[in-house]
């Protein structure tokens, strides 16, 4: 029985690893982008079991072990940049003035969660300069109304379809727009944030639709929104931040193309996964809530915040705008022409 279980789990690991190589947008294929760390660990455990249990004089036992080894190595390579052993993309800075810093909190509140005060407490404990909340309806807007005393600038688009978005800011917002980049009922916020130093930061707050049987049967629309933002960022002259629940993991093929086109940095690389979903199921967690920034920022602080009753943990980051001491060039290679063409095809298919 034990041998059978090990073999079945090994086959699941192999299928889950290599099915992602299919360039298909079906949700049941793209789902396997998410649990790559879990598949890497499962593969390691199964390898130990195979070595102890199988008879390598039987040819298919030997082949199974070889293929599982390849799958485990592949998964480990994919998630390695998010371990403490890897190089850091975002350089840290300690001696910094508040004048040039921006602290940001992002939180997918889960629309049906009504524990407003848990979020309010985290906000009051953290006091970010900018707060982005997604999956917000009118009840959430009213439920957290007391925080408005700290935030004189707001952009609100609450909807009861789980794609509402609210932004609260201590800092002045300029040129603010609510856009519907791909789908007419999924908003994103595009705005400039004026730092205390007077510098303007372009901020994109997005929450594209995930590939899932209950949301969207394909990943095309999600990927298209990521690529559209990346192409916009590529044309922006000045500092940029992209933040939100991207409904994609940091190590996926689509997020890597997003980074290669936008040339933005991921502050988690070399520091950890910072898994934000699923807050209620510890064994099934991966990083869905992201902050990417241009090379003229340095990292002051990054942390996952306490649970608020949602299926997502909030994320907090504090960045310092330091154009005189920029980060090194991004470690991701620039997008190649075939990747740009893939992005164009996804955008055409979605629009």
């Amino acid at each position: 029985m034990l041998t059978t279980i090990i073999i079945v789990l090994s086959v699941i690991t192999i299928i889950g690893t290599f099915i992602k190589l299919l360039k298909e947008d079906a949700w049941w294929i793209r789902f396997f982008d998410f649990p790559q760390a879990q598949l890497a660990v499962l593969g390691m455990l199964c390898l130990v079991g195979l070595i102890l249990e199988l008879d390598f004089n039987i040819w298919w036992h030997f082949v199974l072990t070889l293929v599982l080894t390849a799958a485990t190595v592949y998964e480990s390579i994919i998630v390695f940049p998010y371990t403490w052993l890897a190089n850091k993309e975002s350089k840290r800075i300690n001696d910094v003035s508040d004048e040039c810093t921006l602290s940001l909190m992002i939180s997918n509140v889960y629309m049906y969660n009504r524990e407003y005060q848990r979020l309010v407490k985290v906000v009051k404990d953290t006091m970010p300069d900018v707060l982005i909340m997604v999956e917000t309806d009118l009840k959430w807007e009213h439920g957290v109304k007391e925080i408005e005393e700290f935030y004189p600038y707001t952009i609100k688009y609450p909807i009861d379809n789980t794609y509402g978005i609210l932004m609260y800011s201590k800092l002045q917002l300029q040129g603010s727009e609510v856009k519907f980049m791909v789908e007419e009922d999924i908003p994103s916020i595009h705005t400039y944030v004026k730092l205390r130093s007077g510098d303007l930061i372009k901020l994109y707050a997005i929450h594209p639709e995930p590939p899932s049987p209950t949301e969207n049967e394909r990943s095309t629309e999600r990927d298209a929104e990521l690529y559209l933002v990346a192409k916009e960022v590529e044309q922006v002259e000045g500092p940029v931040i992209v933040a939100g629940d991207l409904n994609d993991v940091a190590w996926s093929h689509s997020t890597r193309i997003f980074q290669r086109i936008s040339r933005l940095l991921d502050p988690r690389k070399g520091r950890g996964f910072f898994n934000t979903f699923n807050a209620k199921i510890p064994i099934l967690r991966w990083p869905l809530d992201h902050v990417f920034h241009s090379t003229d920022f340095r990292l002051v602080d990054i942390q996952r915040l306490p649970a608020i009753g949602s299926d997502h943990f909030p994320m907090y980051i504090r960045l310092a705008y330091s154009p005189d001491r920029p980060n090194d060039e991004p470690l991701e290679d620039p997008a190649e022409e075939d990747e740009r063409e893939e992005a164009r095809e996804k955008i055409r298919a979605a629009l």
Side-chain angles (χ1 to χ4, degrees):
M1 175 62 77
L2 178 59
T3 301
T4 302
I5 292 173
I6 293 172
I7 291 173
V8 169
L9 291 177
S10 298
V11 171
I12 291 172
T13 302
I14 291 168
I15 293 173
T17 296
F18 294 117
I19 198 172
K20 298 188 293 290
L21 300 180
L22 297 175
K23 289 193 173 181
E24 298 291 337
D25 286 357
W27 74 267
W28 58 272
I29 294 177
R30 296 276 64 88
F31 165 78
F32 288 100
D33 289 335
F34 296 91
Q36 293 193 229
Q38 287 86 347
L39 288 172
V41 172
L42 182 59
M44 293 175 192
L45 295 175
C46 287
L47 276 174
V48 173
L50 291 181
I51 291 170
L52 295 176
E53 293 289 326
L54 295 192
D55 179 0
F56 292 104
N57 291 318
I58 302 175
W59 70 270
W60 69 267
H61 286 191
F62 182 71
V63 171
L64 178 64
T65 304
L66 282 182
V67 177
L68 180 62
T69 300
T72 303
V73 170
Y74 174 74
E75 294 286 16
S76 300
I77 290 172
I78 293 295
V79 300
F80 175 76
Y82 299 88
T83 67
W84 292 318
L85 299 174
N87 291 327
K88 296 174 175 62
E89 276 192 355
S90 298
K91 305 304 180 186
R92 190 175 286 277
I93 191 171
N94 295 314
D95 55 326
V96 62
S97 166
D98 287 344
E99 296 293 305
C100 63
T101 64
L102 174 67
S103 59
L104 180 68
M105 174 179 162
I106 56 176
S107 181
N108 180 321
V109 301
Y110 181 61
M111 193 179 77
Y112 304 104
N113 168 31
R114 299 305 176 192
E115 298 185 64
Y116 310 117
Q117 287 305 309
R118 292 182 69 177
L119 176 67
V120 169
K121 182 180 185 306
V122 172
V123 172
K124 288 181 176 180
D125 290 344
T126 309
M127 291 303 292
D129 294 323
V130 177
L131 167 65
I132 299 168
M133 299 164 54
V134 298
E135 282 204 30
T136 43
D137 57 6
L138 282 170
K139 291 181 179 178
W140 264 99
E141 181 187 349
H142 297 149
V144 300
K145 198 166 186 63
E146 65 186 272
I147 68 172
E148 291 186 17
E149 66 176 291
F150 310 115
Y151 296 101
Y153 305 97
T154 60
I155 304 171
K156 300 178 181 179
Y157 205 97
I159 325 176
D160 62 0
N161 67 350
T162 72
Y163 289 97
I165 186 167
L166 305 175
M167 180 182 289
Y168 301 84
S169 179
K170 296 178 184 178
L171 305 174
Q172 185 180 354
L173 303 177
Q174 298 183 3
S176 305
E177 296 180 273
V178 175
K179 292 188 177 183
F180 300 83
M181 301 193 72
V182 176
E183 299 178 83
E184 61 182 14
D185 58 348
I186 298 183
S188 58
I189 294 174
H190 303 216
T191 187
Y192 283 95
V193 181
K194 187 175 182 179
L195 300 184
R196 297 171 184 87
S197 63
D199 295 296
L200 290 177
I201 309 299
K202 186 65 180 286
L203 173 63
Y204 296 83
I206 63 176
H207 181 213
E209 190 176 34
S212 80
T214 59
E215 300 278 350
N216 191 333
E217 293 186 351
R218 63 181 192 172
S219 65
T220 311
E221 285 72 20
R222 179 202 65 188
D223 297 346
E225 184 161 343
L226 293 180
Y227 299 153
L228 282 168
V229 171
K231 287 166 70 67
E232 278 199 25
V233 168
E234 191 178 25
Q235 303 304 316
V236 174
E237 294 183 4
V240 180
I241 295 173
V242 176
D245 171 9
L246 273 56
N247 277 313
D248 199 6
V249 283
W251 47 71
S252 74
H253 176 67
S254 46
T255 299
R256 290 202 302 273
I257 291 180
F258 164 82
Q259 265 200 277
R260 288 173 180 171
I261 294 175
S262 68
R263 311 303 287 140
L264 298 182
L265 306 182
D266 187 342
R268 291 163 298 191
K269 286 185 177 177
R271 295 186 171 91
F273 295 125
F274 295 93
N275 294 326
T276 55
F277 177 91
N278 187 308
K280 299 180 183 296
I281 309 175
I283 198 172
L284 291 177
R285 283 185 182 164
W286 35 75
L288 289 191
D289 300 271
H290 308 255
V291 178
F292 297 97
H293 64 80
S294 51
T295 58
D296 34 24
F297 286 99
R298 288 201 171 201
L299 179 67
V300 180
D301 188 23
I302 182 172
Q303 55 183 292
R304 190 181 74 183
L305 298 174
I308 59 163
S310 170
D311 52 357
H312 287 244
F313 292 99
M315 276 290 293
Y316 171 87
I317 189 169
R318 187 177 178 218
L319 297 168
Y321 177 55
S322 54
D324 55 329
R325 290 186 290 181
N327 267 283
D328 296 335
E329 284 300 305
L331 299 181
E332 286 283 355
D333 294 330
E336 298 179 354
E337 183 53 36
D338 62 328
E339 293 173 323
R340 291 183 176 275
E341 180 57 30
E342 181 180 338
R344 288 191 287 266
E345 288 178 2
K346 287 287 182 76
I347 292 169
R348 283 195 293 266
L351 298 180

